[in-house]
Amino acid sequence: MESVWKEVESEEGPSEGVISQKRIKTLYKISLGVSGFMLFFVGWGMWNIPLESSEGIDGPFGEVLGWLFFSGGLFVQLILSPILVWFALPRGGGRDE
């Protein structure tokens, strides 16, 4: 019984589509890592904005907005940016799936 499809044995290596997919994936991971590091410093600045006030308890933004900056900055610096950097890291075994 003959097979319906014809198997082609090729020694060419990866096709152009595979190479371009790896390049896009690499650029994506680099952009995730850079974004994570940038968000780390943005979060650092955000939670320090209410702490720098010298105008009394309320500061320039008021108490509610000050807490919003403080908690949002901590969230961005300690949770969001490490997650982006974690996804940018290569997986083990040398393969990037």
Side-chain angles (χ1 to χ4, degrees):
M1 179 176 223
E2 289 185 40
S3 61
V4 178
W5 65 91
K6 189 174 189 177
E7 293 185 23
V8 178
E9 294 185 23
S10 175
E11 298 179 11
E12 294 175 5
S15 67
E16 284 297 318
V18 173
I19 293 172
S20 67
Q21 284 179 352
K22 286 183 182 180
R23 186 174 302 144
I24 289 172
K25 191 176 230 184
T26 303
L27 289 174
Y28 174 71
K29 286 189 174 260
I30 289 172
S31 67
L32 272 180
V34 169
S35 298
F37 281 117
M38 287 176 30
L39 279 176
F40 178 81
F41 291 111
V42 166
W44 193 2
M46 277 178 64
W47 70 267
N48 275 310
I49 286 174
L51 298 178
E52 294 177 359
S53 66
S54 62
E55 300 176 8
I57 297 173
D58 290 339
F61 297 107
E63 189 174 330
V64 175
L65 194 56
W67 273 107
L68 183 68
F69 272 119
F70 182 77
S71 59
L74 283 179
F75 173 76
V76 168
Q77 184 184 17
L78 300 177
I79 295 174
L80 188 63
S81 66
I83 288 173
L84 288 177
V85 172
W86 178 259
F87 284 127
L89 294 175
R91 303 295 174 233
R95 283 181 38 196
D96 219 7
E97 295 181 21

